[in-house]
């Protein structure tokens, strides 16, 4: 009751605070996470990025990036890629973790990477079937790279996606069938590359400049 205002980065988080603590919504301020507008500046183009990562120039590539693979839902992404059965497709994983013993050839593990931009440049879509994420910055970076994002309703970043236009949102992380359907959807023709403009448009709402400006306005008020 003594807290004058609370800043949240998603409506998902606002709902949780209201439910758990009874804090009034009217005293919560939504400020989305933000990344620099020039985040992808200097990144390699798709052909060069695939060459650097040892990936074939043709074929559908879904990127996954993050640590804490259990919470981020990597096992569901792997299962969905298998179920989607897209000829020549690859799931490319960046981050720290132990690859599963039964991994298939369609999943490539890069290990920890210092710069995620080559992976994003090489990919056609980004998949993060997270069990829970207040607002995934990894998804925001993928959108900045022009990639449609496949994620779950338990990710605050899902709130800025337009279904079938800049991404796909499934109800639950373990809904492997819906994840596979989304992968198939974005693998058709030029659908993924044609969504790049809509994906990058999200930065108008999620820029670092907007984040800082809005946060300062709230603190000064």
């Amino acid at each position: 009751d003594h807290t004058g205002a609370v800043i949240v980065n998603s409506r998902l988080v606002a709902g949780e605070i209201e439910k758990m603590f009874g804090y009034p919504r009217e005293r919560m301020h939504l400020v989305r996470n933000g990344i620099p507008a020039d985040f992808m500046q200097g990144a390699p183009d798709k052909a060069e990025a695939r060459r650097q990562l040892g990936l074939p120039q043709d074929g559908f590539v879904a990127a996954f990036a993050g640590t804490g693979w259990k919470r981020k839902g990597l096992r569901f992404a792997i299962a969905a890629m298998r179920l989607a059965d897209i000829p020549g497709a690859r799931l490319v994983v960046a981050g720290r973790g132990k690859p599963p013993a039964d991994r298939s050839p369609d999943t490539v593990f890069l290990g920890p990477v210092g710069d995620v931009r080559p992976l994003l440049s090489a990919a056609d879509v980004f998949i993060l079937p997270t069990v829970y994420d207040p607002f995934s910055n990894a998804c925001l970076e993928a959108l900045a790279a022009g990639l449609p994002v496949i994620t779950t309703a338990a990710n605050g970043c899902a709130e800025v996606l337009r279904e079938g236009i800049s991404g796909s949102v499934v109800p639950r992380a373990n809904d492997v069938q819906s994840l596979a359907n989304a992968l198939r959807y974005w693998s058709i023709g030029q659908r993924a590359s044609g969504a790049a403009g809509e994906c990058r448009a999200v930065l108008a709402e999620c820029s670092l400049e907007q984040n800082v400006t809005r946060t300062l306005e709230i603190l000064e008020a």
Side-chain angles (χ1 to χ4, degrees), residues 62-220:
F64 176 105
T67 54
W69 286 351
K70 186 174 182 180
R71 178 172 64 86
K72 300 289 186 181
L74 176 59
R75 62 195 183 279
F76 304 126
I78 292 173
M81 182 61 82
R82 287 177 179 168
L83 183 60
D85 195 25
I86 302 164
R90 298 284 190 280
L91 173 65
V92 184
V93 180
R96 186 176 292 104
K98 184 179 180 181
D102 63 341
R103 63 186 185 275
S104 57
D106 63 4
T107 304
V108 178
F109 289 87
L110 302 179
V113 298
D115 185 357
V116 76
R117 294 177 304 166
L119 171 59
L120 299 179
S121 292
D124 297 294
V125 301
F126 187 82
I127 182 168
L128 191 81
T130 181
V131 176
Y132 175 77
D133 220 311
F135 193 108
S136 167
N137 272 2
C139 290
L140 195 55
E141 290 170 351
L143 290 166
L147 300 184
V149 167
I150 301 170
T151 191
T152 69
N155 178 2
C157 191
E159 297 169 10
V160 303
L161 299 178
R162 297 177 64 194
E163 184 67 32
I165 296 174
S166 56
S168 299
V169 180
V170 304
R172 300 174 311 281
N174 64 356
D175 189 347
V176 174
Q177 183 64 66
S178 293
L179 291 167
N181 291 345
L183 286 166
R184 292 193 199 105
Y185 173 86
W186 289 109
S187 72
I188 295 172
Q190 303 300 310
R191 185 170 280 166
S193 60
E198 290 286 349
C199 295
R200 294 188 180 103
V202 172
L203 290 187
E205 183 182 355
C206 299
S207 69
L208 185 59
E209 182 181 9
Q210 286 233 23
N211 176 283
V212 172
T213 299
R214 183 67 183 126
T215 299
L216 289 175
E217 287 174 352
I218 295 166
L219 293 175
E220 289 170 355

